[in-house]
Amino acid sequence: MPIRLKNIALALMLATALAGCNDTLDSVDLSHVKNKVEQPLPSRIVAEMQKKNMPRNSPIMMRIFKEEGVLEVWKAKADNRFDVIASYAICAWSGKLGPKVKEGDRQAPEGFYNLTPAHLNPNSKYYLAINTGYPNRFDQAHGRTGSNLMIHGACSSSGCYSMTDEQVLEIYAFARDAFKGGQTAVQLQAFPFRMTAENMARHRDSEHIDFWKNLKAGYDNFEVTKRPPEVAICDKKYVFNQDINGQIAGAAAACPPMSTPPALNVALASYEKSYEVAYQKAMNKLDGMVWYEPTEAERKAVVAEKRKGRDIAYAPTGTSLEAGKLMKREQFEALMAKRTSPQSTPATSVLASTSSRPQSAAERTKQGRLRQLDAPAQAQPATETAEASSTTVPIPTPNPLAYAAPPVNTAEKRPFWKFWDGE
């Protein structure tokens, strides 16, 4: 390699190392946090907000992608469009891809939820917590049950999205500041994966595909507008950014006449046209292939293999992308037939023969060890999951972008598309 290129490479390596050091220096030492509820956002985030022209207390929105194991925080800029301001690797989520259906199924919810100030729990056993609002009216219309599903700390999940304590400290601060700025409800969009053409094609055989197509409509609206969509529920489905003629009688009732605003309709049509081209390309690429989705145990096994020999005090569950596998359809069908046969034994990882081995009892104990969690001294306003009490949290109200001051006359509310198309 020429000397000049070597010098450039060394400079880039040094810059990367320094950036890593700066991140480390800016991270919070929890032992020095005196008031976790009022802990300010780190200086690196404040600087990024200023760079992106985001008011300190402007509205936020959250997006979760199970398969990728990511929680994103998006924040409104001065022009009312949203941009991503922070992205976190989810430490632990339980179950598999797909919605939560009933209490005790260990599934983390998928769908569109509104988080109000009442959903913040400063006294959580899991450091800090935000109730997702599950079940919402959509879930209830489908007869789904469960309660107290949270975004919380401690890296421990039985149906929740669990972060590290350091991560949830920041996420909580984002929500707190937005509520202080007047936002009355933060929209949480929980997806099984990024709803790209290739991902939709890869999961085309899933039993949940129709539900995911409904979620994708909301995903597309956000991708086009970069504003959280206005969400309504009727005919047991989500509808987004619709001009509704009349009243919705209920989540299970037939939808009244509705239409998509013209400017938005044109933008969505263009987006869909590009998507269809990409989807067909993905289908050709994946012809004859099936995605094997790993179990939670298989995800944990991959993490355990990577962290072998390291003493960790929490139990991350890993991502489905790391532990899953594309297989030929005949191989997948043979595997499923073997698992359902009367002679079959409990399944180990489908990747065990190539990328992992069964964990020993000692390793399972080590990986399952959680942080010691002290119960709060006072009652919790919104406790989490079956791991805590069964306090009922009210279903959040709609209108995720509303500001609290002063009360808004809904009859004079500016329609969503008036913000979006600049009229």
Side-chain angles (χ1 to χ4, degrees), residues 15 18 51 64 77 95 122 144 211 243 262-263 269 285 291 294 336 349 355 367 369 410:
L18 288 174
K51 179 181 176 182
I64 286 174
K77 299 184 292 186
R144 296 174 181 171
F211 169 60
D243 184 1
K285 175 182 175 182
W291 175 255
M336 294 299 104
S349 171
S355 63
Q367 291 297 323
R369 190 170 70 248
T410 55

Side-chain angles (χ1 to χ4, degrees), residues 18 43 57 59 81 89 102 161 209 224 232 240 259 272 274 286 292 303 313 355 363 368 391-392 421:
L18 288 174
S43 58
N57 293 337
R81 301 298 193 274
K102 62 182 179 180
Y161 292 107
I209 192 63
V224 166
F240 304 95
S259 61
E272 180 65 17
S274 298
L286 297 170
Y292 171 81
V303 174
S355 63
E363 287 172 326
T391 302
T392 301
D421 64 13

Side-chain angles (χ1 to χ4, degrees), residues 151-200:
I151 298 168
H152 62 62
C155 194
S156 165
S157 175
S158 292
C160 296
Y161 292 107
S162 187
M163 319 301 294
T164 65
D165 292 352
E166 292 82 1
Q167 289 172 330
V168 80
L169 185 68
E170 290 185 9
I171 295 167
Y172 192 98
F174 274 118
R176 177 202 64 217
D177 288 353
F179 289 139
K180 284 183 177 180
Q183 188 176 12
T184 58
V186 170
Q187 188 173 101
L188 168 65
Q189 304 174 0
F191 297 107
F193 43 77
R194 295 188 187 277
M195 310 205 89
T196 63
E198 183 154 342
N199 283 346
M200 292 297 287

Side-chain angles (χ1 to χ4, degrees), residues 42-337:
S43 58
R44 72 179 190 282
I45 290 179
V46 174
E48 187 67 14
M49 286 164 51
Q50 293 172 345
K51 179 181 176 182
K52 292 187 173 185
N53 198 19
M54 295 173 174
R56 181 68 174 264
N57 293 337
S58 69
I60 67 165
M61 184 201 82
M62 298 183 198
R63 291 205 302 182
I64 286 174
F65 300 103
K66 275 186 181 178
E67 187 171 62
E68 294 85 352
V70 171
L71 185 152
E72 296 175 343
V73 176
W74 290 67
K75 192 168 180 64
K77 299 184 292 186
D79 64 359
N80 283 321
R81 301 298 193 274
F82 281 61
D83 196 359
V84 67
I85 185 61
S87 182
Y88 304 95
I90 297 172
C91 194
W93 60 272
S94 56
K96 299 178 68 174
L97 301 189
K100 183 172 185 64
V101 175
K102 62 182 179 180
E103 185 84 57
D105 64 6
R106 289 183 54 81
Q107 284 290 105
E110 296 174 5
F112 286 76
Y113 300 89
N114 288 335
L115 317 178
T116 72
H119 289 77
L120 299 184
N121 181 7
N123 303 308
S124 171
K125 288 183 178 181
Y126 303 91
Y127 197 69
L128 289 167
I130 305 174
N131 193 305
T132 63
Y134 176 93
N136 63 14
R137 289 180 293 117
F138 177 95
D139 301 317
Q140 292 171 334
H142 286 268
R144 296 174 181 171
T145 60
S147 59
N148 303 312
L149 281 303
M150 301 279 172
I151 298 168
H152 62 62
C155 194
S156 165
S157 175
S158 292
C160 296
Y161 292 107
S162 187
M163 319 301 294
T164 65
D165 292 352
E166 292 82 1
Q167 289 172 330
V168 80
L169 185 68
E170 290 185 9
I171 295 167
Y172 192 98
F174 274 118
R176 177 202 64 217
D177 288 353
F179 289 139
K180 284 183 177 180
Q183 188 176 12
T184 58
V186 170
Q187 188 173 101
L188 168 65
Q189 304 174 0
F191 297 107
F193 43 77
R194 295 188 187 277
M195 310 205 89
T196 63
E198 183 154 342
N199 283 346
M200 292 297 287
R202 185 161 50 87
H203 290 285
R204 64 193 180 279
D205 294 327
S206 171
E207 62 181 308
H208 307 299
I209 192 63
D210 289 337
F211 169 60
W212 292 342
K213 286 178 179 178
N214 189 201
L215 296 187
K216 182 181 177 298
Y219 178 94
D220 293 351
N221 270 264
F222 178 74
E223 288 297 304
V224 166
T225 67
K226 288 300 184 284
R227 285 180 58 84
E230 291 187 356
V231 181
I233 303 166
C234 56
D235 198 20
K236 295 186 177 182
K237 64 183 180 182
Y238 292 108
V239 293
F240 304 95
N241 292 334
Q242 291 296 291
D243 184 1
I244 299 173
N245 183 14
Q247 297 292 322
I248 293 178
C255 295
M258 58 181 64
S259 61
T260 305
L264 179 58
N265 197 39
V266 170
L268 287 171
S270 177
Y271 183 91
E272 180 65 17
K273 186 176 180 179
S274 298
Y275 171 83
E276 288 297 334
V277 172
Y279 185 82
Q280 189 55 56
K281 183 178 179 180
M283 288 292 287
N284 294 337
K285 175 182 175 182
L286 297 170
D287 185 35
M289 303 297 289
V290 177
W291 175 255
Y292 171 81
E293 187 199 337
T295 64
E296 181 181 350
E298 288 167 341
R299 289 189 282 117
K300 287 182 177 179
V302 171
V303 174
E305 187 69 17
K306 285 185 174 183
R307 300 199 173 205
K308 194 188 304 179
R310 293 175 59 187
D311 186 18
I312 59 173
Y314 52 94
T317 58
T319 73
S320 293
L321 288 178
E322 287 182 302
K325 184 179 182 181
L326 270 176
M327 306 174 69
K328 291 183 178 180
R329 186 172 293 276
E330 54 269 27
Q331 292 176 322
F332 178 83
E333 291 174 351
L335 175 65
M336 294 299 104

